[in-house]
Amino acid sequence: MVDSLRVTRVSVTRDQVLTRERILDAVSEQLEHSGIAGLRLKDVADRLSVSVPSLYRFFEDREAMIAAAYVRDFSLQTFVDIDALTEMFARAESLEDYELGLRRVVIDIFGDQSRRDRWRKVAAIAATRHDPVLMEQIGSVQTEFTCRVAEMYASARERGWVTSSINPLAFAYAVQGLAMGPLFADVAPMPGVTSDDFTEVFITFHRAMTA
């Protein structure tokens, strides 16, 4: 199931045959522009140069389109995160390289793109929480990410970069919780806190958990 979610996002054009993926691309773009409350199927159809009824060949209703778009975006972003962590760890040859890689992963945590990415994940979870099938899809993707972080911790321990014997999965959940902390800064921003500040806190917590 997880591999089937590794799809490549393509630009919406007017010359392609209407497909489920094209509709999801258009819905995602419209959500970025108007949010859930402002999303109209007519706007989605206009992006695709099709009629609104044609959208119902692929989805039951507006809510189903929105939920599916969020699940797909959640999956895409999570796999991007997995690839970034995998590349970072593969290049590390020492503890110093490992920490430098972690810094690079979180350095722009308050940037516009990072902000959009985390809110897209939150929106996906909220939009699908009452749909067991879609929630299972999100869960399978999130499980892969959690396991990858746990494997990274276990490998770092094998290399002698960390000495603590905490449960790798517990470590993975804790790190992800810390990484989502900037959500609270998005909701109620305070002056004087920068991405560099958060990065230092992240690294300090990481060292404390792995010492």
Side-chain angles (χ1 to χ4, degrees):
M1 180 186 296
V2 173
D3 289 340
S4 67
L5 292 172
R6 285 184 177 271
V7 295
T8 301
R9 189 167 183 174
V10 297
S11 298
V12 175
T13 65
R14 297 179 180 274
D15 297 326
Q16 297 176 336
V17 174
L18 186 63
T19 65
R20 176 185 174 89
E21 284 304 313
R22 287 192 63 219
I23 294 173
L24 292 181
D25 283 333
V27 171
S28 293
E29 292 170 6
Q30 193 60 37
L31 284 170
E32 288 283 344
H33 176 72
S34 62
I36 294 179
L39 186 140
R40 301 187 308 161
L41 292 188
K42 182 180 184 306
D43 294 329
V44 174
D46 287 347
R47 285 180 177 273
L48 297 163
S49 294
V50 299
S51 64
V52 171
S54 65
L55 302 177
Y56 291 107
R57 291 164 43 204
F58 300 87
F59 297 95
E60 180 178 354
D61 53 30
R62 172 182 177 274
E63 286 66 32
M65 293 181 212
I66 292 173
Y70 275 131
V71 168
R72 197 275 304 270
D73 288 349
F74 180 97
S75 303
L76 288 173
Q77 183 56 49
T78 301
F79 286 126
V80 167
D81 294 340
I82 288 175
D83 291 342
L85 285 173
T86 300
E87 180 181 2
M88 177 273 291
F89 195 77
R91 291 185 176 186
E93 298 181 355
S94 65
L95 176 58
E96 291 72 22
D97 291 340
Y98 175 58
E99 287 196 354
L100 181 60
L102 289 176
R103 287 179 181 275
R104 289 173 177 166
V105 169
V106 299
I107 190 61
D108 193 35
I109 198 71
F110 288 133
D112 291 340
Q113 186 60 52
S114 295
R115 183 177 296 108
R116 283 194 296 269
D117 292 342
R118 58 178 167 265
W119 279 102
R120 188 178 292 120
K121 285 191 171 186
V122 171
I125 294 171
T128 60
R129 69 187 186 281
H130 296 307
D131 188 320
V133 174
L134 293 178
M135 184 56 74
E136 182 181 359
Q137 292 180 29
I138 283 183
S140 66
V141 174
Q142 186 59 43
T143 294
E144 179 171 344
F145 183 80
T146 299
C147 289
R148 190 68 60 88
V149 174
E151 290 168 4
M152 184 179 70
Y153 169 79
S155 295
R157 189 165 59 190
E158 290 174 1
R159 297 184 189 188
W161 297 348
V162 299
T163 58
S164 62
S165 58
I166 59 178
N167 184 320
L169 287 173
F171 169 83
Y173 285 130
V175 168
Q176 292 177 79
L178 182 60
M180 291 298 282
L183 277 170
F184 299 104
D186 295 339
V187 172
M190 301 289 287
V193 180
T194 67
S195 289
D196 287 339
D197 295 330
F198 179 82
T199 300
E200 289 304 317
V201 171
F202 185 90
I203 295 299
T204 299
F205 269 81
H206 183 273
R207 287 173 178 168
M209 287 188 290
T210 57

